[in-house]
Amino acid sequence: PNAYRVLDRLESPANITTVVYKGIRDLQDSKGFGLTSRDITSLGKLTQLRHLTVDASPEFNDENLEKLVTLQSLNSLRVIDCGLTPKCIPTLA
């Protein structure tokens, strides 16, 4: 939890090109801990990000995806078990 503590520290290096985030799953709680809206805002500041993988993050949804549209270098997005719906297709395009 609280991935922003790490992500905020990654903002200044211009050479971060790949981020793989695997949410924490609690066996007792199927929801687990994933990226929050604040974490995704921090990801949006990694201007050199080219590859992003997000796993087990229900808050990574259509609205939060829009925070990443400024990432001009992003050419690979892998999303597993997140909150995206078909409504995000225009944002992805």
Side-chain angles (χ1 to χ4, degrees), residues 9-79:
R9 303 238 177 190
L10 298 178
E11 288 178 23
S12 44
N15 58 352
I16 300 293
T17 60
T18 302
V19 171
V20 176
Y21 180 84
K22 294 187 177 193
I24 302 166
R25 296 179 198 265
D26 182 348
L27 295 177
Q28 311 306 324
D29 177 11
S30 61
K31 191 168 124 184
F33 301 100
L35 291 175
T36 65
S37 181
R38 176 156 178 0
D39 301 331
I40 297 163
T41 297
S42 294
L43 280 173
K45 296 175 183 176
L46 299 175
T47 58
Q48 298 301 313
L49 192 62
R50 297 184 65 213
H51 309 284
L52 174 62
T53 298
V54 180
D55 185 8
S57 295
E59 280 193 54
F60 191 82
N61 56 28
D62 302 342
E63 180 181 328
N64 282 318
L65 177 66
E66 292 181 19
K67 295 177 181 182
L68 303 180
V69 297
T70 58
L71 297 177
Q72 298 298 312
S73 298
L74 189 66
N75 62 25
S76 169
L77 175 64
R78 184 171 185 226
V79 181

